[in-house]
Amino acid sequence: MAAVAIPESPGSALGGDEERVEGNAGQDIDASRLLGVSTPDQVFQQWEEFLQSSSETLRDRTLCQGESHDLAVTCPASFKIGGATSSSSGGGVPPRASPAETLKLLETPPGYAATLLSEALRETRTCVSTGRGLLRQLSLFGERCEMEDQGAANKVPANYAEFGAFLPQLEAVRDVLDRCAALTQHLLQQLVALHSLGSTTSYGAQFKGFEQLPPPWPVVEALGELLMLPTTVDGMFLENRAIRDAFCSYEWAVKNPKADDQQISAEAAATLASSLRSFAPMVESRCFTVLLDRLKTELRTLRPEASVSAVRERLMKTLKSELENPEALTKNFSLPASLLIPRICIIVMLTRVWPQPKYDNRTAADIWKVYRNTKPAVVLGGRIVWCLGDFLQAFFPNESSLQEDMHSLRVKQAQRLDEGTFVHEIEKLHRAVQEWLAGIGSTVRALSSGNVSSSLKHADHMVQRGMVLAIKVRGLLEEYLMLHLRTGVPFKQSCLSSITLGFQLLKVIEAGPSTQRWAELSVFLHRRLAFKVHRDVQDTLARLERHQKRSGAIASLGAGLKAVLAALHCILSGAAPADELDEYFDIGALVLCFAGALIAQDNKRHTAVRDQWSELRSSFRWQHQLQNLCDTSWCFWLRRDVFKVLLNDLQSSKSAPRGVLAVPGLCQAFAAPLETLLVVPAAGNDAPNAPVREMRRDVVGTLAIQYLYSLRKDLQEAIIEPLAQSIEDSLRNHVFGVTQSLPDNLTLNIDPRVRSFLWLRPLRLGPKVVVDIKDQVEMRLSKVFYDLTALQPQDAEVYLRMRSLAERRYGLRILEGSLPAGSQDNGLDVINLMKEIDKLAAQYSYSIHQQFFTQSSNQQADKIHIVTLDHVAASVQIHGVGIVNTAAAYSIPFLNQKVQIVAKFINGVKSRLVADERWFEQRKLDGEKGYTWARASETAKEVRAMGSGKDGVSVLDKLRQVVTHIGNSLGYVRMVRNAGLRVIGKSLPVASLLLPPSQKVSPTTSLLEAARSAESGEQLMKAVEVADDLALGVQQRFQTPADHLLILATFFGKPDRKEAALAYGANLFHFLIPALTVSFMDSILLGREALEKRASGSAGVSRKNAYCFDDGFAVGLAFLLRIFGLEKDFQALHWFDSKVDDIGQGGRINTVQGAVNGDGTTSGGAKGGNANANANAWASRRQAELQAELALLDRTLEAASTLFGPPPSLKAKAAPTEGEGGADEEERGEPAGPSEEETPSAD
């Protein structure tokens, strides 16, 4: 910075040619050429010449030929961060004209002064914004360990490593503080220089009246912002113990390196130690004191003393008057930290740099008297709390009024807020916000109806009113929360809802004027305010032109006001670049401040013009300003102590739904750090700073994830889990009351608080994160119901009722809680099934319509295996479709063996079958029709009497099992074939669907012919030809003549095999089917009874032979009838038309073991009570069941017969095409049998 030599008296500045003044660029300026020797015309001519040169030349030379060296104190060099200069333009881009050049301010001395000050203000904004960004990064130091809840032993090494990565940030903060001190010194020098110009008579009329000029308010605000930076750094290091401990550990490690540590050289260690020593004022929280000491040293020789005293006195007077009127401060639309702290810092700085002990102590006492009971603590940012009493005590230790216990005072203030002040103020602000929202709505409606004038009258007031409300709400919230956290006073339960309401009000204010109409109103408002400023400035210019004594000061004032109008035009027309908009506003404000010193006769009117200029500036940034006022990123440091407490209060509050409606606003307030504070820095290409940037990305990214996790965890524990538990208890009590007939347990009314929570919209916790309370409750209840059902399957019906009730009462769609019946993607392999086809046929039951096997015997294991078409298709897809023919061929030996067993058995019971044949023939001669149930029961009884195996199973039941094995093996072949069809069908695209409706091909038209008719290209023709070949191959492979079941039936029905079977008496097999049917009926009913007992969980129930269908028996009968050629003969028996008559002679029910006898005993011999009544009832129920099963077996046998094609006797007739009946859905569409309603057991 260039030194400033200010003469002690006006005469010394004009002494002689020998006197030299050190200029801006180190050049000597001849004092004889100062204003007073040259004429004003010569000076103006020189201005025009210099305007053609660069701005640097204008600064290097003295343009205003007066004592302008007092103004030639240029701003220090631009501050650099990461190799970038704040005021430099890109390489190769021609420099654009500065605002001062655009507005031609350099043509007048006051304009030149305004230019220098505006440049200083621009550098101040750059310094402050850079410093705030660095402090935002440092404020997160150590937070990752805190959020991870690491122990003390783990926190120290983690913070130590993090501190090493933070060293570049600390160096940047140190440079910012140095820059802050230089800028503060420069602004004070400028203020003193401005006053000296007006008090020196030899300067001419150009600066007349500047000695009466109050400090320009833009400069005062800039001084306050600069002094806030070191104050904030002190507070941040004072509150963050982790960074202080990490600094001490790091400093000790540098001073005491290990002997074997070769990672750092001695020179680098010395450099690092020097840097750490420079960080000591920051770590010890002495930055503000160091800055004051530096200013005191640098400004000790500032002259003239009269100007210094005057500047000090006017600054103190201005600041004291503002601080004694707190309501007037709210006109600046800033938070208490931005209003109170900067002004007090300036006062402290003036008392230390230019001390006046008696006056200074009295000033401190007056300020403390005003804010003692209202602002004992102010939130400076994040976790930093600035205590006014402690701050004043540190710099005014001799003031008696400050000698009190500040902690006790803060405790009293916290208790006073708890006693009702806080709740009362929040409720009053709530009503005010409601009125403000109504005003916003009326303003928007007025603009929509075309009444622009009326809407503009209210729009400005609405914007200002909204910012004032935001300031009051946030200030009250911060004061209450920080006082309690700082003093350790617990939150009062009655105040928790008011805290939540405060956060809700902040977010409502932020979202209030956010419609497109308000963007339109902003443009109109800019023009309205600009018109008012333009009108008043034009009136002032007109009066100046009519002024009788037009001095040089009046002429300069006129030029300055014209510059204000030019700046106004540039701002509204968009000619001012966005990054220079603040500089245009600064120039206008400074010029208007200068003009106030020269228009003493109309100072009140000029003050109004300055206020209008400030209002215009606020109108250009009110959206950003309102967003900053409503920003709740400081909640990052309160989440652990406040968020969960407020959520618990909302969950337990009885004031629903009002309390519940505050949840979205509360979550949005505490999620704000994820959008402002914890934003991951963008990746850059700056190689020197790349490691630091990556470290910051890692730290901030991890913090964002941890913070989001903590928010979700608090929501889960405070809202979702209690809500889900309440709903579960209500459902459980209601279902228990219904099942146990307890009316007192029935909950007929729904808790309005629960309903309000479920109706809430999803809560936004970040840019891409939302939490839906209803969805979370559904997921939790689904998990609970499923887990409890898995532990106690017998309670599945209870949870099914609770699930249904939850959907009807609360609208909750809870997932099915029952356990799955099987796995759809992990079945038995087709190769293993083929190798163990005997086990498949013996241990599984087959469903002809649904095409799957289920394990019906050997059920000692906990899991029951099933084999579905999906399982087989997945296995075929793995092994290839060639396995289809192999499976069919592999079943032939097994079928051959079983057919021989049937033929030999028929030969063994041939005498009984011949007797049945004669009986049937005689019955026909007698005119009676059909085979009877009684005859079938007698045949079954006689065949059973022939003996049984070692396992106690009769020979008739064993034959029934053999027939079932034959049907199961054929069902397996059918499943493999259909699985192959499905695999190949999925692999071929349905090309006909791709053709337009006008070119649809008929079933007999090939795709190739359709492509030729459409005149397709050569490549498409080749592709279509390949597709036709594939489709033809599939058709030939799986068409009806190639049906494997038909091939097997034809193979076993050959004349030579048929004659061999007939030799054993196989031509009488159809007379054995009724007896086999009786055996099948008993078997299926006992299997279903075992299944029912097993489902009910009865103790001692056997886990063997429990099933509800066994269609393999019907398929086996159909196959044997086909290969023996007895289908027509069996149909002649009309067996399935017979009526079930299970009562035999003597009143005994003809059945197997387990039937009830007429004397009241079971077939096992046990007596029963009420024998006759029970026997009759049981007999009627059994007859109905047997009749239904007989009809079902009839339809199943008819469907199974279609699997083997038409019988030989019907081949001459028109055979049904594929899809016209049959049981195979994959092959022939719907089965030729009963519908699902008619045959529920088959499904």
Side-chain angles (χ1 to χ4, degrees), residues 143 145 234 278 299 879 955 982 1060:
E143 292 296 333
C145 297
D234 289 343
S278 66
L299 299 177
H879 297 288
V955 292
R982 177 174 294 185

Side-chain angles (χ1 to χ4, degrees), residues 1127-1148:
E1127 290 175 314
K1128 186 176 179 180
D1129 297 332
F1130 175 71
Q1131 292 175 3
L1133 296 179
H1134 297 283
W1135 160 240
F1136 293 111
D1137 295 335
S1138 62
K1139 182 180 179 181
V1140 176
D1141 185 11
D1142 213 33
I1143 305 299
Q1145 296 179 356
R1148 176 182 295 275

Side-chain angles (χ1 to χ4, degrees), residues 885-908:
N885 294 332
T886 305
Y890 210 89
S891 64
I892 293 178
F894 178 79
L895 290 174
N896 187 35
Q897 178 186 2
K898 297 299 180 180
V899 170
Q900 291 180 6
I901 293 175
V902 172
K904 291 180 180 180
F905 184 86
I906 294 173
N907 188 42

Side-chain angles (χ1 to χ4, degrees), residues 711-731:
L711 292 181
R712 294 177 65 104
K713 181 180 178 182
D714 291 343
L715 269 174
Q716 190 78 20
E717 295 177 354
I719 299 292
I720 297 173
E721 290 183 359
L723 185 63
Q725 187 64 44
S726 175
I727 295 175
E728 182 184 353
D729 293 342
S730 175
L731 296 175

Side-chain angles (χ1 to χ4, degrees), residues 542-553:
R543 287 197 306 274
L544 290 177
E545 291 178 356
R546 295 192 299 269
H547 204 275
Q548 296 179 357
K549 298 179 180 180
R550 297 188 62 187
S551 61

